[in-house]
Amino acid sequence: MNIRQARVQDLPGMQAYLYHALTWPSLSYVAEENGRIVGYILAKMEEPEEHDNPEKTEQVPHGHVTSISVLRSYRRLGLAKKLMLQSQEAMSTIYRAAYVSLHVRKSNRAALSLYRDTLGFTVKSIEEKYYADGEDAYAMQLTFSQP
């Protein structure tokens, strides 16, 4: 099994994610076996958050996991954890991110276990009807320890 940075040619039919690969190439990775992609993570750095009050604009650099997936037959092998850690390391060291955020379906118990129990994420809020089918999402965050 090999984990490497994602390339533009890894994203056929995923033009929406092309921006990630071109803007933050060091944050997105694929897991491949015998040349076949069996898992991926797409991540980015977030822009400073805008508020009505300019004094409250958040200037802290932070990353965001846009999408992560592992083929069903390759799950429970630790690939998602490896992909997450690889991307988090790049966020922290290259971009000096203070934390990483992500959204996860409330019903996705396996992902919740990975994020909360294995990786140490905490739930920051619940975003109602976040997904197109109306399901709520947990907005989760992991703060990086700075050297």
Side-chain angles (χ1 to χ4, degrees):
M1 189 70 56
N2 178 42
I3 293 181
R4 63 168 171 79
Q5 285 186 341
R7 299 185 296 247
V8 172
Q9 54 267 40
D10 294 329
L11 305 173
M14 297 176 69
Q15 287 81 12
Y17 296 123
L18 186 58
Y19 181 66
H20 285 64
L22 295 175
T23 308
W24 303 282
S26 56
L27 299 182
S28 296
Y29 293 85
V30 296
E32 62 181 358
E33 184 171 63
N34 300 322
R36 177 181 181 216
I37 294 175
V38 298
Y40 71 88
I41 184 168
L42 293 170
K44 65 179 184 170
M45 292 302 295
E46 288 283 15
E47 302 296 326
E49 293 181 18
E50 303 264 340
H51 297 281
D52 291 336
N53 180 348
E55 294 175 13
K56 288 188 174 184
T57 297
E58 184 177 340
Q59 298 296 328
V60 178
H62 62 282
H64 182 78
V65 175
T66 303
S67 181
I68 182 170
S69 184
V70 174
L71 288 177
R72 191 170 306 280
S73 57
Y74 286 84
R75 293 182 186 164
R76 306 208 48 84
L77 299 175
L79 289 178
K81 178 182 175 183
K82 288 178 184 175
L83 289 165
M84 288 287 291
L85 292 174
Q86 192 82 26
S87 186
Q88 288 171 203
E89 176 67 19
M91 288 174 193
S92 179
T93 59
I94 296 170
Y95 295 99
R96 305 266 188 245
Y99 65 90
V100 59
S101 63
L102 57 80
H103 291 91
V104 62
R105 287 178 178 273
K106 286 180 71 176
S107 65
N108 192 340
R109 291 193 313 256
L112 280 168
S113 176
L114 170 69
Y115 303 142
R116 184 184 51 226
D117 304 333
T118 303
L119 296 171
F121 279 76
T122 57
V123 174
K124 289 311 214 183
S125 65
I126 296 174
E127 300 207 19
E128 294 184 9
K129 296 181 176 54
Y130 180 82
Y131 293 99
D133 64 3
E135 185 173 353
D136 296 346
Y138 288 120
M140 300 187 80
Q141 182 174 309
L142 173 70
T143 301
F144 299 135
S145 57
Q146 299 298 326

